[in-house]
Amino acid sequence: MPIEPSGRAHPERLAVRVPEHVVYRDFAEQTVALNLHTGRYHGLNETSAEMLEALREAPTVAAAAQRLAPSWDVDPGVLLADLLDLCDGLESRGLIETHVAE
């Protein structure tokens, strides 16, 4: 399996899941995530919420980027980098877990 310089799996093999101790709720202008282990709330703007939804539904981070790309006017490489940055931020807060896709 290819490993990126960051130490994580290549985006074609990197998958995301939301742990059971995290709940999400959509509101008019943002999505709120609650980490039940820490009791902390985290707000996601509309863009981040849409990215998270794609990450949750797609089998890999690269597939999430492919899903979003047609409706977003952004370079695919930039989109993939943004998704990986979002993963880093959410994972550091315990809001997602990443793993190697089967």
Side-chain angles (χ1 to χ4, degrees):
M1 160 187 47
I3 301 292
E4 295 292 294
S6 64
R8 73 163 71 93
H10 188 276
E12 292 285 342
R13 297 290 319 257
L14 186 66
V16 171
R17 77 173 200 84
V18 175
E20 291 183 17
H21 66 269
V22 175
V23 293
Y24 291 89
R25 175 100 190 250
D26 293 324
F27 293 95
E29 295 185 20
Q30 72 174 346
T31 296
V32 175
L34 170 61
N35 182 327
L36 296 172
H37 284 173
T38 64
R40 290 189 169 169
Y41 288 90
H42 304 271
L44 299 171
N45 65 25
E46 186 178 333
T47 302
S48 295
E50 190 172 345
M51 292 168 81
L52 177 59
E53 181 180 338
L55 288 165
R56 291 174 57 195
E57 294 176 357
T60 65
V61 174
Q66 291 172 350
R67 176 182 164 210
L68 292 170
S71 61
W72 291 18
D73 185 24
V74 64
D75 178 88
V78 171
L79 178 56
L80 185 58
D82 288 347
L83 284 167
L84 291 169
D85 286 346
L86 180 65
C87 287
D88 288 344
L90 295 176
E91 191 165 35
S92 72
R93 291 168 179 82
L95 300 175
I96 65 166
E97 296 172 349
T98 58
H99 59 93
V100 176
E102 299 293 323

